[in-house]
Amino acid sequence: MSEYKKPLPVIQPWSKEFWKGSKQHKLLIQECNDCGIKIFYPRLHCPDCWSSNLGWSQACGRAKVYSYTITLAGVEEKFAEDLPYVLAMVDLEEGIRMLTRIVECKPEEVKIGMDVEVTFEDVTEDISLPLFRPSAKR
Ligand SMILES: [Zn+2]
């Protein structure tokens, strides 16, 4: 694994479990054990009922593209090698909307409503980033 030069997530006590899951190639989402809502991004308290009684569950990894943009230019040097790339918001089956990148396809193949699935890029020994690729069942 060559040295990773792009920014890495800052791991907080309340997001540690999420990144631990990503490292194991599991997409974890928080759930409130009191009111039952699913929560993303990871937090200390439920945004709905303010409970701190939160747990984790593994998402199935299937999602649909809600919206996206193709980045063609105008990025910091460290991102230039990735151009063009697709930044997207995807809706997980669990009802979570997540900002991510769409990979393993040409940018022009990405469409709103397209089925995608999670994949993980191992960027350092401790960090794997959840990204999405076209679903295999297309
Ligand atoms: Zn709650």
Side-chain angles (χ1 to χ4, degrees):
M1 202 177 291
S2 61
E3 194 195 344
Y4 189 73
K5 296 191 178 76
K6 289 170 242 177
L8 290 167
V10 178
I11 299 175
Q12 304 291 353
W14 53 90
S15 65
K16 208 166 135 190
E17 200 64 25
F18 176 83
W19 293 111
K20 206 170 121 190
S22 290
K23 191 65 223 170
Q24 298 165 357
H25 293 193
K26 293 176 184 170
L27 185 62
L28 299 185
I29 49 180
Q30 266 183 321
E31 280 178 348
C32 176
N33 292 327
D34 287 332
C35 75
I37 69 158
K38 310 244 186 239
I39 303 164
F40 185 81
Y41 49 90
R43 297 168 221 221
L44 270 175
H45 300 282
C46 172
D48 205 44
C49 75
W50 296 103
S51 168
S52 55
N53 181 16
L54 307 179
W56 295 88
S57 66
Q58 187 176 350
C60 70
R62 291 187 297 272
K64 281 186 190 296
V65 174
Y66 170 75
S67 190
Y68 69 97
T69 184
I70 302 172
T71 305
L72 298 169
V75 296
E76 285 184 55
E77 191 56 38
K78 53 193 153 201
F79 292 99
E81 65 185 25
D82 296 339
L83 292 173
Y85 59 84
V86 179
L87 281 177
M89 295 180 89
V90 300
D91 287 339
L92 302 187
E93 279 189 8
E94 288 79 8
I96 298 286
R97 184 165 291 162
M98 196 174 272
L99 185 65
T100 185
R101 280 172 59 180
I102 307 294
V103 295
E104 296 181 32
C105 70
K106 291 180 184 156
E108 58 271 24
E109 291 170 358
V110 177
K111 301 281 179 265
I112 287 173
M114 168 181 181
D115 291 317
V116 290
E117 63 188 16
V118 73
T119 181
F120 292 88
E121 183 184 1
D122 300 318
V123 296
T124 70
E125 266 179 33
D126 302 316
I127 299 288
S128 297
L129 301 175
L131 306 172
F132 284 76
R133 64 184 175 201
S135 167
K137 67 172 165 75
R138 273 186 308 170

